[in-house]
Amino acid sequence: MTFDNGTWWLVVLLLGFATGALIYLIKRSLFGRVDKLDEAVKRLDETTVKKPTYEKDKDKLTGDIERIERDYTPRSVHEKSYDELRADIKTIMQTYLTKDDFIREFSKMDRKIDMILDHAIKQKDKGA
């Protein structure tokens, strides 16, 4: 069997199409997986934390938790303090003067002093 130039041209053209199709399929399957893996790595890189950053944040949070546990006051202690304060307020309201009471008493005292002073002035005028 002998092939002329047209046949060779057709065979080379078919081999070129076959090679191109094979390369396209390999590229699509192989590099498609590579692209998916690249996207997965990018997604992991965006959503995960580096170990030094994690350790630093963990140490900071551990210190915060220890400080909170050390400084924490239970609710029962707060309730007891509130009860003591309420009792103190009740005692203060019963034993201390209000501003109005103080002004009223001071005004009474002022009038009495004025009356004594007037009386002393009259006595001095009578005696002189």
Side-chain angles (χ1 to χ4, degrees):
M1 187 184 308
T2 61
F3 295 110
D4 61 347
N5 286 340
T7 308
W8 284 112
W9 182 81
L10 182 62
V11 168
V12 169
L13 185 67
L14 287 174
L15 281 174
F17 280 129
T19 306
L22 182 65
I23 290 173
Y24 172 76
L25 291 173
I26 290 172
K27 180 184 171 199
R28 192 180 90 188
S29 66
L30 181 65
F31 290 115
R33 285 190 221 151
V34 170
D35 289 340
K36 287 178 185 176
L37 288 173
D38 187 44
E39 289 174 14
V41 168
K42 284 181 184 177
R43 191 171 51 249
L44 281 174
D45 193 38
E46 291 172 357
T47 59
T48 58
V49 179
K50 304 288 187 245
K51 188 166 184 166
T53 306
Y54 169 76
E55 292 295 330
K56 184 175 69 171
D57 289 345
K58 179 183 162 197
D59 292 341
K60 181 181 175 282
L61 291 174
T62 302
D64 289 346
I65 290 171
E66 288 172 358
R67 183 182 50 79
I68 289 170
E69 287 175 345
R70 185 179 58 245
D71 297 341
Y72 176 73
T73 306
R75 183 177 287 271
S76 61
V77 173
H78 283 295
E79 291 296 328
K80 182 180 176 187
S81 296
Y82 290 145
D83 291 341
E84 290 172 1
L85 289 174
R86 285 184 192 110
D88 289 345
I89 290 171
K90 217 179 258 188
T91 304
I92 288 170
M93 290 176 70
Q94 292 171 354
T95 58
Y96 287 84
L97 288 176
T98 63
K99 182 179 177 183
D100 294 336
D101 291 340
F102 176 76
I103 291 173
R104 191 175 320 114
E105 292 299 318
F106 192 76
S107 296
K108 285 181 190 178
M109 185 68 68
D110 198 27
R111 279 188 299 236
K112 289 178 183 179
I113 290 174
D114 286 341
M115 285 183 358
I116 292 172
L117 191 60
D118 288 342
H119 187 64
I121 291 173
K122 286 181 187 178
Q123 290 292 332
K124 185 180 175 187
D125 287 342
K126 284 183 184 179

